[in-house]
Amino acid sequence: MTWSTADVPDLTGRLALVTGATSGLGYETAFELLRHGADVLVAARNPEKAAQAAETLTQKAGRAPTVLELDLADLASVQRAAEEVVKSYDRLDLLINNAGVMAPPYRQTLDGFELQLGTNHLGHFALTGRLFPLLVKGSRVVTVSSFMHKTVRGISEDDLRRPAGSYRKWESYGKSKLANLLFMLELDRRARAAGAGLLSVGAHPGYASTHLQAAGPELAGRALQARLWGAATRAVAQSAAAGAWPSLYAATYPDLRPGSFVGPSFFEYRGTPKVVLPTRTAQDPELAKRLWAWSVEATGVDPALTVPK
């Protein structure tokens, strides 16, 4: 299959929210959505970076996004951001759950969860749940995972609050990406069971050159390692723009089936997007139900899908 951003349809009149849109995949996704006519909410935790990104996007796309302050590692921030969106808009056509952290030294969110699972999964779970009043009206939710979900074979409730002594950064990253897929597929099952007009799909970028690879070493104070990671990534990875193609395809392709998972076509490493398969663990409905229950308890958000009148 051949596909490029030229195949993104006209999105005039549609509203999209992209998390982590100040750089990398989120920035490129926001740019293409703007360029094709969508109104875009750029959600980010750093107001200065968000303002800079919005200015650059305006110059590049010719249309200005709206900045939304959102820290996925702070459930109170998630609640404030969601309430602002629900108050300001009567619909949300596209939600791109893109933001994430990868392999940092041990950290906790403000609510005491392991940083990667707390940010990559719980933050997006809570955001999506709080936006349900807008999302059950014919919307599409794209949850961005990674091929690193293939490196782990399960997840437990204990992983959400894993202590420093048993923390393994790459294992935790893989589990956070597994959680993204379990959530995406469970959301799809619940939406279809409720008869709600919500399409839940997933995407992963393959190996794309973004700041994500260097962020972990930077947090650990390893400047040289961060530079080496950055140089190696730039040498072998596809661009961030190409890495955003699966997300854009998942967000806009008109005939995509519910629960689809989109990745690059060349060994899921790079290239044009296509539908790919999650692991058996990611497709386990019983594990997904347990993760959903753990997430409700952890976040205090109990999403209820209803069919709008």
Side-chain angles (χ1 to χ4, degrees), residues 21 28 45 49 60 69 80 97 99 130 134 146 171 181 193 227 233 245 260 263 265 267 308:
E28 297 295 343
R45 64 183 177 85
K49 287 185 178 180
K60 189 176 178 182
E69 187 172 345
R80 288 192 298 270
N97 288 326
R130 291 193 181 280
L134 307 183
S146 165
E171 180 185 47
L181 281 174
R227 288 197 295 271
T233 299
W245 288 358
S260 293
S265 57
F267 296 100

Side-chain angles (χ1 to χ4, degrees), residues 104-275:
Y106 183 79
R107 297 284 192 280
Q108 290 183 338
T109 68
L110 287 179
D111 303 283
F113 301 106
E114 187 276 312
L115 181 64
Q116 295 188 89
L117 276 159
T119 302
N120 300 355
H121 167 61
L122 290 177
H124 282 125
F125 177 90
L127 177 67
T128 306
R130 291 193 181 280
L131 290 173
F132 268 1
L134 307 183
L135 287 173
V136 294
K137 301 177 182 179
S139 305
R140 190 176 295 204
V141 177
V142 180
T143 301
V144 179
S145 182
S146 165
F147 52 52
M148 289 293 290
H149 86 278
K150 298 179 179 181
T151 65
V152 296
R153 296 186 178 182
I155 187 171
S156 71
E157 186 174 11
D158 291 340
D159 290 316
L160 301 177
R161 294 187 184 271
R162 184 158 296 282
S166 60
Y167 174 71
R168 291 187 290 273
K169 61 184 181 181
W170 287 109
E171 180 185 47
S172 291
Y173 180 69
K175 288 187 176 187
S176 75
K177 296 291 100 179
L178 172 62
N180 288 152
L181 281 174
L182 289 165
F183 165 63
M184 180 275 287
L185 289 166
E186 182 64 11
L187 177 59
D188 167 59
R189 284 186 285 264
R190 289 174 182 249
R192 287 188 286 115
L198 182 154
L199 185 68
S200 175
V201 292
H204 83 81
Y207 191 19
S209 180
T210 71
H211 182 66
L212 193 62
Q213 291 86 0
E218 286 177 353
L219 282 173
R222 298 170 181 168
L224 177 60
Q225 185 181 8
R227 288 197 295 271
L228 291 173
W229 260 110
T233 299
R234 288 190 295 272
V236 300
Q238 64 181 349
S239 67
W245 288 358
S247 294
L248 289 162
Y249 184 93
T252 65
Y253 190 72
D255 298 323
L256 198 61
R257 295 179 63 182
S260 293
F261 183 38
V262 181
S265 57
F266 184 71
F267 296 100
E268 297 190 43
Y269 172 77
R270 63 191 306 148
T272 55
K274 70 171 186 178
V275 174

Side-chain angles (χ1 to χ4, degrees), residues 6-22:
D7 295 305
V8 175
D10 180 19
L11 301 174
T12 300
R14 294 175 69 80
L15 179 66
L17 191 160
V18 184
T19 67
T22 59

